[in-house]
Amino acid sequence: LVLFDRTMASSSSSASVSSASAGSSSHVGAVQLEGLAMLKIVKHCKESLPDLVTGQLLGLDVDSRLEVTNCFPFPNREDDENSEDTGAEYQLEMMRCMREVNVDNNTVGWYQSAYLGSYVNESMVETQFNYQQNLKKSVVIVFDPVLSTDSHLSLKAFRLTDQFMTLFSGRKFTAEALKEAQVDFSKIFEEVPIEVHNAHLCRALLFELESEQYLGAQVEPNLDLPATSVLEKNLEFLIEYGDHLSADHSKLQYHQRALHRQRVQQSRWVQQRKAENALRRRDGKPELSEVPDPNQFEKVSPASYLKPMLNTNQLNTYCEQVKDFVGESTTKLYLMQSLSS
Amino acid sequence: TSQHFNPIQQGIMSDSIFRLSESRTVKVHPVVLLSVLDHFTRRKENQRRVIGALLGVVTDDVVEIRNSFPVPHTEDKEVAVDMQNLFELHKKVNPNEVYVGWYSTGLTINQQSVMIHNYFDRQMDSSPIHLCVDTDLSDGNMDIRAFESSPLGAVDGSSMERSIGFHFKPLPVAVSTFQSGALGLAELSRSKSDDSALRKLNGETSGTKFAIQELQKRLAVAQQYVDDVLAGKVVPDKKTGRMLMDVVSSIPPMSTVEGGKRFNNTLQDILMIGYLSNLTRAQLALSERLQFGVLPQ
């Protein structure tokens, strides 16, 4: 998975022109996606299968809407030393060229292709966090070329919730931190609805394409029964993530036990000291302190709840996908039954 | 003298003169067209038309235009273009896309076009394609035309090629929706009739709903045809009748016992998996609540 890290996000923000409504709230009601940007995203992600790719979104933010008017893909990062520099260079150069032809060159987010819904992982969250820190209203658009069929585009826009942002900035994921921020797995992302927008000239083009000459451009609506391979793959992922979750669970249990052991040790040590002090009092010797020295015992680092939370979220996503799939298949099955009778 | 070529006239001429040369077909990706229109919409105040470079792949006799990028240019006496940068950038992402030609908006082909075309010819190995997108919407249509140029006139033995002009031969254009294009185009087509030019990107069920509606419409048309034939209003056509019969017989029979069993099995499988996934989700939600309710310290 291609990852552009903090240097990327900060350099993009310095290159972009700050938008007029910088002081307004950071709530994004809807994402308005230009047809051009959508087709470009679809094309790039589909053509790069089976690799997963990313790219940058450009546009404007207007009130509570985020308009995405253009986008460009990121090249695959080679593993050389100056890959970070070349990446930043690429981005700056691209933005400059865009500006010359009057394309909005404000970064408004990034997009990523996903494989059958597996997009929730630490790098993605981290990248989105960096983007959202620098530009209050950025989104990540996830396009799933595997799950998309002729009749349905699996294109979703996400942002991290404000609660999760505060939690993530603290970089501590202990249980107390989670409770304080009131974040559970369902509140990591918020989905932003996408609306497709076309300039009028483009709509003229679309009408033109429907005319006789370009019959090849017609797309037949597809009522095929969806392949069971989708379901199988989803189930495989479900099982895999169930395994991850149980591994995390056992890790947490281990941590609990270690904590408990340490406490038992501490209390035993305090007991011993008390007994010793009682003896010393009897003998008239000076008493030793009863407060345990924290450095004496091996540290048990607090468990991080981030990974289990992300895993849970991913698991939930898979379940939702299965649910959608089930709904659609039953519809099509019943349709077939009624057709044949 | 200004050399203004009317491509239509030259097209008629070409059939008689250049019949031996094979004409290539041009396949255009919808992304390219939309990007051309976008560039045109964003042009500067005084520009009459915009140009840009076309990237793609060339196979035997088909030129596939997959991508494009706008080229800033000025069009006075001289034509100045600057496109090396963008080409390098694009190459990093798609290394197998090469120059295949250039585009311009508006249908006029004039002296500057010839110069630009020659410039592209020098950059490329094969002969470049010139794509014209009619943004002025003349004749109420948005024409998309592609041309290939060949020099008219005698070629001297000397190194200087003296030509009286260039003939732009039109090529057949097809809008290809291979793989990636189809998805996006379907979605866009659905939004084209909305007055407000805005359309929500709907979930999966609406795609199915749309497909079912299409099916209903087509069934209605077919039924209307059959009724008309039975009533004697329309002359029956053997080919249509056979096609209809093929369609009807291709539906797998579900009313038999065997078909019914298959249907039930598939349905049960799907429902069971749906139930399992719902159970998983409930479990996850429950564990989250528990985690926050009972947190050991």
Side-chain angles (χ1 to χ4, degrees):
Chain A
L1 184 66
V2 175
L3 203 231
F4 275 78
D5 51 6
R6 281 163 238 218
T7 52
M8 199 55 36
S10 51
S11 70
S12 74
S13 66
S14 55
S16 71
V17 176
S18 63
S19 61
S21 50
S24 56
S25 76
S26 64
H27 173 63
V28 179
V31 169
Q32 184 175 303
L33 191 59
E34 271 311 298
L36 172 66
M38 185 176 83
L39 276 190
K40 271 187 165 181
I41 295 176
V42 170
K43 169 180 189 285
H44 180 221
C45 295
K46 259 227 136 164
E47 277 180 1
S48 316
L49 275 183
D51 289 333
L52 298 176
V53 289
T54 57
Q56 184 97 302
L57 298 172
L58 307 167
L60 296 163
D61 82 64
V62 181
D63 297 332
S64 71
R65 258 167 190 283
L66 200 63
E67 291 190 20
V68 178
T69 50
N70 215 326
C71 64
F72 60 83
F74 284 142
N76 273 325
R77 199 208 274 191
E78 305 100 35
D79 292 310
D80 52 353
E81 322 80 51
N82 52 351
S83 62
E84 266 188 36
D85 294 333
T86 51
E89 245 179 63
Y90 174 87
Q91 213 178 8
L92 289 176
E93 189 64 32
M94 202 63 170
M95 303 280 251
R96 197 181 59 81
C97 292
M98 294 271 164
R99 201 180 319 155
E100 283 185 14
V101 282
N102 281 343
V103 175
D104 307 322
N105 64 343
N106 302 332
T107 313
V108 293
W110 59 299
Y111 67 85
Q112 179 182 320
S113 67
Y115 185 78
L116 209 65
S118 26
Y119 53 82
V120 183
N121 48 21
E122 279 201 51
S123 62
M124 182 248 196
V125 170
E126 178 121 12
T127 321
Q128 176 61 12
F129 177 75
N130 287 327
Y131 266 92
Q132 243 174 276
Q133 251 195 340
N134 291 323
L135 312 153
K136 281 253 173 305
K137 288 198 188 181
S138 57
V139 295
V140 52
I141 291 191
V142 176
F143 174 66
D144 196 333
V146 181
L147 205 53
S148 305
T149 61
D150 276 343
S151 56
H152 163 62
L153 268 186
S154 168
L155 199 65
K156 298 202 184 108
F158 291 108
R159 299 184 70 233
L160 297 175
T161 53
D162 291 332
Q163 302 135 316
F164 189 73
M165 293 279 290
T166 34
L167 177 66
F168 202 85
S169 44
R171 301 255 179 237
K172 266 177 32 122
F173 300 103
T174 58
E176 311 88 53
L178 282 186
K179 218 193 218 165
E180 210 178 283
Q182 299 220 319
V183 172
D184 59 9
F185 75 91
S186 54
K187 294 215 193 71
I188 303 182
F189 295 110
E190 58 174 358
E191 186 171 339
V192 185
I194 299 185
E195 295 175 355
V196 176
H197 174 266
N198 278 317
H200 295 290
L201 207 54
C202 300
R203 285 161 69 210
L205 175 72
L206 288 170
F207 274 111
E208 177 76 28
L209 285 180
E210 283 228 326
S211 66
E212 287 304 309
Q213 295 177 282
Y214 302 112
L215 266 183
Q218 291 280 27
V219 179
E220 298 295 308
N222 194 343
L223 271 179
D224 291 345
L225 280 183
T228 44
S229 56
V230 172
L231 205 57
E232 275 171 39
K233 258 275 126 119
N234 253 324
L235 272 184
E236 262 180 45
F237 283 142
L238 268 178
I239 296 176
E240 191 184 317
Y241 271 82
D243 277 342
H244 283 321
L245 213 56
S246 69
D248 288 328
H249 186 66
S250 57
K251 248 189 258 173
L252 280 177
Q253 275 191 330
Y254 175 76
H255 164 76
Q256 293 288 351
R257 255 179 266 134
L259 205 61
H260 183 72
R261 249 201 316 259
Q262 197 195 49
R263 248 186 240 124
V264 164
Q265 271 185 333
Q266 275 191 342
S267 61
R268 217 181 295 148
W269 187 89
V270 170
Q271 292 271 9
Q272 281 180 336
R273 274 297 170 99
K274 281 214 179 97
E276 240 187 272
N277 278 340
L279 279 175
R280 284 181 176 228
R281 238 176 276 137
R282 240 190 357 182
D283 294 338
K285 285 199 212 149
E287 291 181 9
L288 304 164
S289 91
E290 288 182 9
V291 178
D293 179 9
N295 292 329
Q296 213 173 345
F297 302 96
E298 51 175 85
K299 285 206 182 305
V300 180
S301 58
S304 159
Y305 277 78
L306 178 65
K307 274 210 120 199
M309 216 164 53
L310 289 180
N311 283 339
T312 323
N313 195 319
Q314 182 66 78
L315 203 57
N316 199 38
T317 316
Y318 287 136
C319 292
E320 300 254 337
Q321 274 172 207
V322 171
K323 189 176 74 147
D324 286 337
F325 179 85
V326 164
E328 185 162 333
S329 324
T330 35
T331 319
K332 291 185 183 166
L333 271 182
Y334 274 108
L335 179 68
M336 237 179 52
Q337 194 190 37
S338 65
L339 267 183
S340 63
S341 54
Chain B
T1 61
S2 69
Q3 277 145 344
H4 209 104
F5 289 101
N6 185 339
I8 307 288
Q9 283 183 349
Q10 295 294 29
I12 298 177
M13 246 175 67
S14 79
D15 279 341
S16 48
I17 298 180
F18 298 105
R19 202 177 302 232
L20 287 180
S21 65
E22 307 158 5
S23 64
R24 307 190 276 172
T25 354
V26 175
K27 277 198 181 167
V28 180
H29 225 276
V31 183
V32 171
L33 294 173
L34 278 185
S35 134
V36 170
L37 290 178
D38 183 66
H39 184 206
F40 180 70
T41 322
R42 290 170 188 277
R43 70 191 185 288
K44 295 204 183 57
E45 291 286 324
N46 47 2
Q47 272 187 316
R48 219 175 4 107
R49 64 172 184 171
V50 290
I51 67 167
L54 295 172
L55 305 168
V57 214
V58 181
T59 46
D60 296 328
D61 48 352
V62 175
V63 176
E64 202 175 317
I65 305 181
R66 285 204 198 155
N67 209 343
S68 67
F69 59 83
V71 172
H73 84 296
T74 52
E75 213 178 302
D76 299 319
K77 296 283 174 53
E78 291 289 316
V79 182
V81 290
D82 162 35
M83 43 183 221
Q84 202 49 32
N85 285 338
L86 267 182
F87 183 55
E88 292 296 314
L89 292 178
H90 272 265
K91 270 211 110 166
K92 284 204 193 149
V93 184
N94 292 321
N96 49 354
E97 286 182 2
V98 294
Y99 279 126
V100 293
W102 64 292
Y103 67 80
S104 83
T105 56
L107 281 183
T108 54
I109 303 186
N110 53 14
Q111 182 73 7
Q112 280 93 9
S113 313
V114 175
M115 294 202 304
I116 301 174
H117 199 86
N118 286 339
Y119 174 73
F120 271 89
D121 203 356
R122 285 195 292 274
Q123 301 264 331
M124 288 171 48
D125 300 326
S126 54
S127 123
I129 305 280
H130 174 39
L131 191 74
C132 282
V133 179
D134 182 12
T135 45
D136 307 319
L137 295 176
S138 52
D139 302 333
N141 279 337
M142 181 184 287
D143 275 337
I144 306 170
R145 299 195 197 152
F147 301 99
E148 210 176 15
S149 124
S150 40
L152 276 182
V155 176
D156 283 1
S158 66
S159 50
M160 283 267 285
E161 186 183 296
R162 213 182 315 148
S163 59
I164 55 174
F166 284 87
H167 158 231
F168 279 80
K169 186 175 74 164
L171 299 172
V173 175
V175 176
S176 86
T177 53
F178 85 110
Q179 292 183 327
S180 34
L183 297 175
L185 201 61
E187 198 63 45
L188 286 183
S189 301
R190 254 174 262 154
S191 64
K192 67 178 183 299
S193 358
D194 274 347
D195 275 338
S196 61
L198 266 186
R199 166 67 174 243
K200 275 208 194 351
L201 198 67
N202 291 317
E204 201 157 304
T205 47
S206 89
T208 322
K209 186 172 98 167
F210 179 72
I212 294 181
Q213 282 174 341
E214 271 299 303
L215 189 63
Q216 267 189 320
K217 270 189 238 164
R218 290 181 193 183
L219 282 178
V221 167
Q223 190 167 25
Q224 183 65 30
Y225 173 78
V226 171
D227 285 342
D228 284 344
V229 166
L230 285 179
K233 277 191 247 173
V234 173
V235 174
D237 178 25
K238 285 211 188 98
K239 227 170 51 157
T240 326
R242 237 175 265 140
M243 281 204 299
L244 279 175
M245 200 174 74
D246 280 339
V247 167
V248 171
S249 59
S250 68
I251 302 176
M254 283 278 175
S255 42
T256 64
V257 176
E258 185 56 49
K261 242 192 264 176
R262 251 191 302 159
F263 173 74
N264 279 329
N265 283 339
T266 324
L267 193 63
Q268 274 181 342
D269 286 340
I270 292 183
L271 285 180
M272 175 180 79
I273 297 189
Y275 172 73
L276 279 177
S277 78
N278 277 334
L279 196 64
T280 319
R281 280 175 64 223
Q283 162 70 33
L284 289 176
L286 198 64
S287 65
E288 285 295 325
R289 299 287 168 273
L290 281 179
Q291 180 181 309
F292 288 121
V294 187
L295 266 181
Q297 275 312 314

